[in-house]
Amino acid sequence: MPTATTIRAADALARRLYAEGCRYAFGMPGGEVLTLVDALEDAGIRFVLAKHENAAAFMAEGAYHRTGAPGILVATVGPGALNGVNAVANAHQDRVPMIVLAGAVDADEAQSYTHQVLDQQAVFRPITKASFSLVPGAAHIIADKAIAIATEGRPGPVHIDVPITVADSPVPAAAPPKRAKASPTAPGGVDLQTARDWFANSQRPVIIAGLDAMNQGAGDALTTFAETFNVPVVTTYKAKGLLPEDHALSLGGAGLSPLADRHLLPLIDKADLVLCVGYDPIEMRVGWRNIWNPEQQRVIDITAEPNHHYMHQSSLNFIADCAASLAAISDGITPQATWSGGEVAATKQALATAFPTEETWGPAAVMETCRQVLPRDTLATVDSGAHRILLSQMWQCYEPRGLTQSTALCTMGCAIPLAMGTKLADPDRPVIGFCGDAGFLMVAGELSTAAELGLKPIILVFVDASLSLIELKQRSRQMKNRGVDFAKHDFAAMGVAFGGAGHTVTTREELTDALNTAMKADTFTVIAAVIDRGAYDGRL
């Protein structure tokens, strides 16, 4: 038992997480994690009871994007921990810092007891940056290591098994000194001079920015650099908004929509210098594999980790901080005219033409209406499907993390829990979650959690009773319609049944009224936007 000079090992974990800025933990408890939950609450970290661990992890990610502190998932031994595997793997691929606290049977007990006993570390090692089993003598050190590993370099999840009796074991209350965080680094030497020479002489530079730049908070530095030197910016979808997307130099997101890439890739091909600023191609599809030859086109890669993906190669590789690298490359360089043929404005116009907004009704009309009616500072989430491809092009972001989605693993059903975590951590901002009808059905039970927490996000459901993206692929391969259609349901009624408000809309006018009503509601709102089958044809 703890004494005046000791605390529980679980307290050591919880206090270190609180010191890092964590204020929320999400999960579903079992008897094996009761001490953990108790310790988190005692430390000042609110435990939020979800209905499924997978959704809980996405709530944790939503909270992270608003607070900057690692998300926390709490799962009990066995089935609880395994329920969270998908979202933990998603955090690993989407570079989301997350601490996964899992209950575990004590090691000596496991030698003669088999119920719910499995090697959880073997499960989590391939989908996390590290996996630990907590031991009392190193509780403080493991807590500090877990946070350092989760947040530094490319962020990601770290798993900690917490055996039942270890959680209650006494450890010294005084923690050893925390490891100092690594300072940002900038390139130097001959390669830096080469990069500076290339940039000084470039007449058609282009920036491709991604996850590393977003996670390093390089948005302001990127904007200043782009404006000073008139450099157009393309982002990955997770990094949308690093440069406000109504900016003349912003060309939006790339890598998911073949229709958008049809206009972006020719511009990149014309560039005489490609600056990859924190560009992590884990989000990108095959159309972006080796889109340049670094022996024929100058390419500078600035990344948090070495290129072991081989999606592309570059002429110069800098493992360095994005903002510091941009400053080093541009220091003392005199701005000059770039893209004098008007190619950037022409590409921006071509993209606008490719994704028109004037249709009377359909997915584009829904998205355009939401963007026009909702305030500029609205935060959005979206789950996977045809609607995500279109929304990622049409939903303008004016700040980093303005649109949160599963971009690397592309997980269905994430929009609602992401919206809930976002709204919990940033209650004063408007939040909307865009869902496919199938994704909604996967996680509908979490609406009860939203009601219990008093959260008021808007949930917009595209209702066409089909896995539209898969059905589209099926038709493109001239296959029969099999396994992609399901019944239409009353999604608005589901919202009401779980304690919220509900609207079904079939016109822009009805949607506008529903959005305005939802913004004044004292609970969450489900808006079911009914669209035609095949509404995405030719739009992606």
Side-chain angles (χ1 to χ4, degrees):
M1 293 293 294
T3 67
T5 58
T6 63
I7 56 175
R8 298 170 297 184
D11 293 316
L13 272 177
R15 293 182 185 185
R16 181 64 186 89
L17 289 166
Y18 182 87
E20 193 63 20
C22 300
R23 296 296 181 268
Y24 304 97
F26 303 84
M28 181 172 284
E32 297 81 7
V33 294
L34 292 180
T35 299
L36 264 177
V37 172
D38 190 62
L40 290 166
E41 289 272 352
D42 282 353
I45 298 173
R46 180 181 179 183
F47 177 75
V48 176
L49 172 62
K51 303 303 177 285
H52 194 283
E53 290 82 358
N54 196 59
F58 279 115
M59 292 179 203
E61 178 181 344
Y64 151 69
H65 285 299
R66 304 318 308 159
T67 67
I72 303 174
L73 170 65
V74 178
T76 194
V77 65
L82 295 185
N83 271 347
V85 163
N86 172 76
V88 174
N90 183 83
H92 191 234
Q93 294 203 9
D94 269 21
R95 318 310 190 194
V96 173
M98 184 178 294
I99 306 299
V100 181
L101 302 177
V105 173
D106 294 316
D108 53 354
E109 181 78 358
Q111 298 307 309
S112 59
Y113 184 73
T114 57
H115 181 64
Q116 292 188 323
V117 174
L118 72 155
D119 190 345
Q120 292 175 175
Q121 287 193 271
V123 172
F124 282 105
R125 279 193 188 101
I127 57 171
T128 59
K129 292 183 72 177
S131 176
F132 297 94
S133 182
L134 195 68
V135 291
H140 289 293
I141 291 174
I142 288 173
D144 197 56
K145 275 189 177 184
I147 290 169
I149 293 169
T151 57
E152 294 184 350
R154 280 203 173 123
V158 172
H159 161 247
I160 305 176
D161 260 353
V162 184
I164 299 166
T165 61
V166 170
D168 281 305
S169 297
V171 303
K178 294 185 291 186
R179 191 183 70 84
K181 292 184 181 295
S183 298
T185 59
V190 174
D191 282 353
L192 174 60
Q193 188 57 52
T194 300
R196 288 171 51 77
D197 291 343
W198 287 355
F199 182 57
N201 293 298
S202 173
Q203 296 181 343
R204 296 183 306 279
V206 65
I207 288 172
I208 304 174
L211 272 168
D212 290 348
M214 186 186 75
N215 285 328
Q216 293 170 8
D220 289 345
L222 180 72
T223 299
T224 298
F225 183 95
E227 291 178 339
T228 301
F229 298 100
N230 196 45
V231 184
V233 177
V234 178
T235 71
T236 64
Y237 287 126
K238 199 87 171 186
K240 277 169 64 71
L242 276 170
L243 179 68
E245 291 191 309
D246 55 354
H247 196 290
L249 291 169
S250 172
L251 296 174
L256 182 59
S257 165
L259 182 56
D261 293 345
R262 197 176 303 160
H263 302 285
L264 292 171
L265 290 176
L267 183 79
I268 293 170
D269 187 59
K270 292 177 184 176
D272 59 8
L273 178 63
V274 180
L275 284 161
C276 296
V277 182
Y279 170 45
D280 179 355
I282 195 165
E283 298 183 51
M284 312 303 270
R285 301 305 175 90
V286 293
W288 280 70
R289 183 187 293 158
N290 294 321
I291 62 170
W292 52 68
N293 183 342
E295 295 179 354
Q296 299 174 1
Q297 193 172 13
R298 291 171 174 175
V299 181
I300 300 172
D301 222 350
I302 305 165
T303 55
E305 292 183 0
N307 170 0
H308 295 155
H309 51 71
Y310 281 66
M311 274 280 286
H312 67 258
Q313 294 301 333
S314 56
S315 315
L316 292 173
N317 282 306
F318 295 131
I319 312 303
D321 179 78
C322 291
S325 297
L326 290 175
I329 290 170
S330 62
D331 184 36
I333 302 297
T334 301
Q336 61 178 331
T338 63
W339 296 101
S340 56
E343 298 93 339
V344 176
T347 301
K348 199 170 179 72
Q349 180 57 48
L351 286 167
T353 302
F355 296 95
T357 61
E358 67 271 11
E359 68 177 2
T360 302
W361 185 245
V366 171
M367 296 167 191
E368 198 265 343
T369 301
C370 288
R371 183 69 278 187
Q372 293 301 314
V373 173
L374 295 173
R376 182 181 174 90
D377 66 342
T378 296
L379 300 169
T381 69
V382 62
D383 60 10
S384 288
H387 62 288
R388 179 173 83 94
I389 299 176
L390 188 58
L391 184 86
S392 293
Q393 292 301 135
M394 297 190 64
W395 183 265
Q396 282 198 338
C397 291
Y398 311 115
E399 62 183 286
R401 308 179 197 277
L403 175 63
T404 307
Q405 51 186 306
S406 169
T407 52
L409 204 59
C410 298
T411 300
M412 289 179 64
C414 66
I416 290 176
L418 281 172
M420 290 169 59
T422 299
K423 190 68 174 176
L424 181 65
D426 202 347
D428 295 330
R429 295 280 293 271
V431 176
I432 184 169
F434 291 96
C435 307
D437 41 8
F440 180 98
L441 292 171
M442 286 182 173
V443 295
E446 294 301 342
L447 294 178
S448 65
T449 307
E452 291 159 6
L453 296 173
L455 301 179
K456 297 185 285 186
I458 300 169
I459 306 301
L460 190 292
V461 190
F462 294 92
V463 182
D464 57 5
S466 177
L467 300 174
S468 300
L469 181 59
I470 309 307
E471 190 272 338
L472 185 61
K473 292 179 179 181
Q474 208 170 46
R475 278 190 287 121
S476 71
R477 296 178 62 184
Q478 298 181 326
M479 292 180 170
K480 295 179 180 179
N481 182 298
R482 289 171 171 160
V484 293
D485 294 341
F486 47 91
K488 278 192 176 181
H489 301 285
D490 191 339
F491 294 93
M494 292 185 208
V496 173
F498 280 111
H503 307 270
T504 299
V505 299
T506 57
T507 67
R508 284 179 181 259
E509 293 73 23
E510 291 174 352
L511 176 56
T512 298
D513 289 343
L515 290 168
N516 284 321
T517 301
M519 284 190 283
K520 301 172 186 174
D522 58 2
T523 184
F524 70 86
T525 299
V526 174
I527 301 175
V530 182
I531 59 175
D532 292 336
R533 295 286 187 96
Y536 297 98
D537 287 6
R539 296 177 179 272
L540 308 181

